[in-house]
Amino acid sequence: MFTFIHRLQNILDRTRCIDFLAPLALRLYLVPIFWMAGSKKLADIDSTAAWFGNPDWGLGLPAPEFMAWAAALTEAGGAILLLLGLATRWISIPLMITMLVAAVTVHWQHGWAAIAEPAEANERLGRAVEILQANGNYEWLSGSGSFVILNNGIEFAATYFIMLLTLFFIGAGKYVSVDYWLARRCQNI
């Protein structure tokens, strides 16, 4: 039995030659998420700042112009850096802070789940579909997929935070990152 387990461990150890795939996959997964979030904020930065600052229908954050620009540039710039694998550990820090702020200010009040449980959402979803079928172009609206009822909880922000925390500790990975090649270059000097 011990020999069998030892052989399995040796097989697993041989996969270390492709261990660069895990940080690459994390980076490539996060790139479109942060790019879309940051570029949408930048596209209408005045509305973003208004939403950040307004306590009645927004987040009620202090210094909303600064916060809007900081979040937008961190997300969009972070996406580019993650794509390149450049300063990955460094950019993970402000991106994690952004996720913490989003979790606390936007999502916390809605609990954990990002998407509402079917039992809770079915009645609301059914009524929304009825309204859209009666008053809207339902085929066009649902042509790219089904409607969902979002709960908007902290699930996604927490997941992205954990992914960034992983990148903070392991870095961008070997071979397919600027960080790796810069480190190799610096070692040869």
Side-chain angles (χ1 to χ4, degrees):
M1 181 65 158
F2 180 73
T3 305
F4 176 72
I5 293 172
H6 184 62
R7 285 184 184 160
L8 287 177
Q9 185 62 45
N10 285 338
I11 291 170
L12 286 176
D13 287 345
R14 282 188 228 132
T15 65
R16 293 190 194 277
C17 65
I18 57 171
D19 64 358
F20 68 93
L21 292 176
L24 176 62
L26 287 174
R27 288 177 20 232
L28 294 179
Y29 184 89
L30 291 169
V31 165
I33 291 164
F34 288 118
W35 178 255
M36 289 174 16
S39 62
K40 283 176 101 173
K41 287 178 181 75
L42 288 170
D44 195 357
I45 197 69
D46 292 333
S47 294
T48 302
W51 179 62
F52 273 36
N54 192 300
D56 296 326
W57 49 265
L59 303 177
L61 296 174
E65 290 83 13
F66 171 77
M67 296 288 274
W69 278 102
L73 293 173
T74 297
E75 290 169 341
I80 294 167
L81 292 174
L82 288 173
L83 179 64
L84 298 173
L86 176 61
T88 300
R89 295 182 73 200
W90 288 105
I91 195 58
S92 294
I93 296 167
L95 287 170
M96 284 188 288
I97 292 168
T98 302
M99 289 300 92
L100 286 173
V101 171
V104 171
T105 61
V106 178
H107 306 290
W108 190 266
Q109 65 190 356
H110 303 292
W112 174 259
I115 299 174
E117 294 294 324
E120 299 172 22
N122 280 342
E123 183 179 339
R124 288 186 284 158
L125 182 58
R127 183 67 182 122
V129 168
E130 287 174 14
I131 292 168
L132 290 171
Q133 287 173 334
N135 302 306
N137 188 346
Y138 183 74
E139 287 72 33
W140 178 79
L141 290 169
S142 60
S144 294
S146 299
F147 284 95
V148 297
I149 301 294
L150 291 180
N151 188 50
N152 208 22
I154 67 168
E155 179 181 3
F156 292 151
T159 302
Y160 304 150
F161 179 90
I162 292 167
M163 294 169 83
L164 290 162
L165 183 65
T166 302
L167 287 173
F168 174 76
F169 283 109
I170 67 172
K174 296 185 277 187
Y175 311 126
V176 193
S177 71
V178 174
D179 287 346
Y180 172 77
W181 294 107
L182 287 174
R184 281 191 54 139
R185 175 93 171 127
C186 290
Q187 288 173 352
N188 293 333
I189 293 177

